[in-house]
Amino acid sequence: PTPRSAQAGPNAALAAVAFRLPATPALLLELACLWGYVLLVGAPASAVRSAILWTAVRGGRFGGRLVRPLAGWGLAGLLLHLCDPAVLADPGFQLSFAAVLGLAASGPLRADGEGADPRGALARRMRAWAVGATALAAQSACAEAGTLGIQVRHFGAVPIVGLLLNLAIIPLCGLFMAALLVYLGCAFLVPPLAPLAA
C-alpha cells in the first residue's frame, strides 16, 4: 500500500549522506527529488500524501521540532481536501490514508531482548533477519487491516495475497527507486551512460 514516492525521500537522503552534503543542501536535494517524483507520476493523492507527510516530518526535524506522524497525516488530508474536496471519494486517497492509519495505530514495532547474543555473529544476523521479517509482516498486516473495509466496498473482494506480496514488494521498492535515481542521473548528466544504467 505504500507508494513508491515514499522511497524517493529516503533514497535522496542516503545519496546526500554518501556525498557528505551539509544539512541544508541535503534537505533541499531530498525534498526536490521527492516532489519532483510526485510531479513526474502525475501527483496522485497517495503520492502527495506521502510527500506532505515526509516533508512535514523532515522539515520539523531540520527545524529542531518533533512532528508526530499522525499530525503530518492529518495535515496531508486537510491540504488535499482543501485543494480538491472531491478527492475524499477517490479510492486511492482512501486506501492511502487508511493504510497509514493502520500502520500508525499498530504502534512502534520493536525487537525485545536487544543486545549481544553469546552464540556469535551468525546467530545475531539470523535474529536480525527474523526480527526484520516479523516487522514487515506486522506492518503489512496492519496496513491491510486499515484498508480492508475500503477494499471490500470499492472492489468487492479481500485481496489476501496482498498481505504476502507486500513482504517482497516493500523491500524491493527501495532498490527500484535507487536504480531509477541512478538511471535518471545518468540520463541527465552523462547521457551515453544511460543505456548502461538502464
Side-chain angles (χ1 to χ4, degrees), residues 12 17 29 38 40 71 82 128 138 163:
V17 169
L29 172 67
V38 168
L40 182 69
L82 289 175
L163 184 65

Side-chain angles (χ1 to χ4, degrees), residues 59-113:
R61 185 179 296 162
F62 181 77
R65 296 185 176 169
L66 175 66
V67 177
R68 299 189 186 282
L70 280 178
W73 176 86
L75 174 66
L78 177 64
L79 291 175
L80 282 166
H81 176 64
L82 289 175
C83 289
D84 180 15
V87 77
L88 295 177
D90 176 34
F93 173 91
Q94 294 172 6
L95 289 168
S96 176
F97 277 82
V100 172
L101 186 59
L103 288 171
S106 70
L109 299 169
R110 295 185 185 140
D112 294 322

Side-chain angles (χ1 to χ4, degrees), residues 7 23 28 53 56 68 72 77 82 85 120 132-133 138 142 150 159 163-165 174 188 192 194:
Q7 293 293 328
L28 293 175
L53 179 56
R68 299 189 186 282
L82 289 175
C142 290
I150 297 167
L163 184 65
L164 299 173
L165 286 177
F188 285 115

Side-chain angles (χ1 to χ4, degrees), residues 7-20:
Q7 293 293 328
N11 286 335
L14 288 174
V17 169
F19 290 112
R20 300 176 189 251

Side-chain angles (χ1 to χ4, degrees), residues 1-197:
T2 305
R4 287 183 287 276
S5 59
Q7 293 293 328
N11 286 335
L14 288 174
V17 169
F19 290 112
R20 300 176 189 251
L21 293 176
T24 301
L27 180 64
L28 293 175
L29 172 67
E30 184 180 327
L31 296 180
C33 289
L34 172 65
W35 284 99
Y37 178 79
V38 168
L39 294 174
L40 182 69
V41 298
S46 58
V48 174
R49 187 263 319 142
S50 178
I52 291 172
L53 179 56
W54 185 265
T55 301
V57 171
R58 295 291 288 149
R61 185 179 296 162
F62 181 77
R65 296 185 176 169
L66 175 66
V67 177
R68 299 189 186 282
L70 280 178
W73 176 86
L75 174 66
L78 177 64
L79 291 175
L80 282 166
H81 176 64
L82 289 175
C83 289
D84 180 15
V87 77
L88 295 177
D90 176 34
F93 173 91
Q94 294 172 6
L95 289 168
S96 176
F97 277 82
V100 172
L101 186 59
L103 288 171
S106 70
L109 299 169
R110 295 185 185 140
D112 294 322
E114 297 269 334
D117 190 330
R119 292 174 289 183
L122 179 60
R124 282 194 300 275
R125 283 192 204 123
M126 294 299 290
R127 185 180 189 293
W129 183 87
V131 168
T134 303
L136 274 177
Q139 290 170 347
S140 182
C142 290
E144 194 75 29
T147 62
L148 193 59
I150 297 167
Q151 292 180 65
V152 169
R153 181 172 181 266
H154 284 291
F155 310 116
V158 178
I160 298 170
V161 73
L163 184 65
L164 299 173
L165 286 177
N166 280 342
L167 297 178
I169 299 301
I170 291 172
L172 289 175
C173 279
L175 182 63
F176 293 151
M177 288 299 299
L180 175 67
L181 289 175
V182 169
Y183 170 74
L184 289 176
C186 288
F188 285 115
L189 300 175
V190 191
L193 288 180
L196 180 63

